[in-house]
Amino acid sequence: MQEKIRKFIEEFHMIEEGDTVLAAVSGGADSLCLLLLLHDLCAEMKFGLCVVHVEHGIRGEESLKDAVFVEKICGEMHIPCKVCRCRALEYAGQHKLTVEEAARKLRYQLFDETAKEFGANKIAVAHNQNDCAETMLFHLARGSGLLGLCGIRPVRGQIIRPLLCVARGEIEEYLAGKGRDFCIDRTNEELQYTRNKIRRQVLPLLVQINTNAVTHMNQAAAFVAEAAELMEVLSRRAAEKYICRYDNKISILRELLTEPPAVVRTVLYSVLTEAAQSSKDISGIHVQQLWDLFARQNGKEADLPYGLRARRTYEGILLQMGEEAQRQRGTMPVSWELPPDGSLSISSYGYTIHTRIIEKVPQNEEIPKKMYTKWLDYDKIKNTTRLRTRQEGDYLVINREGKRKKLKKYFIDEKIPADQREQILLLADGAHILWVIGYRISEDVKVTEHTKRILEIRVDGGEKSE
């Protein structure tokens, strides 16, 4: 089996001469096999080897014995080893995760930290073909696109999986041939965990149907991965054309539907996981919800996981994070109160806004006609003025009779590109837009012969700075 593993490592360029590999060793059959094989190969392939063991604080005395077992093996083989301890149960409760999710997150954090301590540039984990098949079934059952059906990839960043070319039965045979005992994690037998149900109940039934089921599923995963790579290229091109991003919102232009269905589905999935900052709980049903929204009337909405809300707009779909998700990611929509006499800096726009109240209207002085300097009738402003981006219900007053025009209609009439509308800064008095910065002001606040006080606003900076 050693030669098979070596060729697999070389095929995917997992380890190069001079690398230092940190092996994640739990003490179970898979990770012990990984350690033994890497130890046998390190001299031949000229790489350094060290070990990390994570004790999750879940299984009490049994877990502590596993740590001692790993330290003893490493000591016998003269391999540097670090045992890390964490409290997965507490972390799960604090972050509203399952114990499995919490343990995995903490485990990989500790892998990264230990790799830096040892100066390791590769982290080897012991996933095998059975793990890949189980992952495919898990994703298939909960709803998945191509990426989920890729199973587990041999290389992901600095994570490498040298055992992904062998099945669990081969690993157990290898250890038996070496006369090696290994640790047994009793929680792997507990059927309240979804993956354990797949491992203990579902996959064995498939193997009964076809003894090569695991191998065939891994072959299929490899084919799907190739298709996913092609789809990623096509979808990236489509996203560049039809997806616009600003702060906590993502606009999906309806022209996306001109692309092949597979591309549309991939782009929508990508957008959802980007907005959620996670792929967990984002499944095919949510992609379909988003797609179906294109066929509904403007203003219709759909609620999605992670507090995401999608709204049908004239241009397509506007996807917005919920307040809780925005707080967690620091992307709550913001607005700025404009002082009537002073200055305000908005670094995200590169603007510095200067204001002053002119108490006495200058005689025979021409009203500024510059795009970024405006005079407004201060006494016609009813509330506190704020600078912000557009919201539902915004309007302009477009003539002296007080006729209103929705801001959305104004943008359309002015042929302002859809991907720019969410980024335009507005001076607002409630829903009344006093000034579309860089464009027009509301007729209702224009300076007239009856104006007593003027609010002068000058915007410095930005791409269109005067």
Side-chain angles (χ1 to χ4, degrees), residues 178-219:
K178 292 274 189 180
R180 289 281 189 173
D181 293 326
F182 51 86
C183 302
I184 296 175
D185 183 349
R186 306 296 174 188
T187 61
N188 287 336
E189 308 292 329
E190 297 172 3
L191 296 181
Q192 71 262 35
Y193 299 117
T194 303
R195 286 186 177 272
N196 286 355
K197 290 180 182 178
I198 294 172
R199 180 176 301 149
R200 299 298 175 191
Q201 297 179 330
V202 179
L203 201 55
L205 287 175
L206 292 176
V207 172
Q208 287 180 28
I209 294 170
N210 188 313
T211 55
N212 293 317
V214 170
T215 300
H216 292 162
M217 291 174 71
N218 276 261
Q219 291 170 347

Side-chain angles (χ1 to χ4, degrees), residues 43 63 140 185 196 231 248 253 284 319 382 385 393 425 464:
S63 183
L140 187 62
D185 183 349
N196 286 355
M231 190 58 62
N248 65 310
L253 302 182
L319 185 64
K382 298 177 181 178
T385 55
L425 208 56
K464 300 180 182 178

Side-chain angles (χ1 to χ4, degrees), residues 55-61 63 86-89 99-100 102-103 187 193:
E55 196 273 298
H56 297 93
I58 297 174
R59 297 182 293 120
E61 189 64 30
S63 183
C86 61
R87 292 293 173 262
L89 285 171
V99 177
E100 285 179 293
T187 61
Y193 299 117

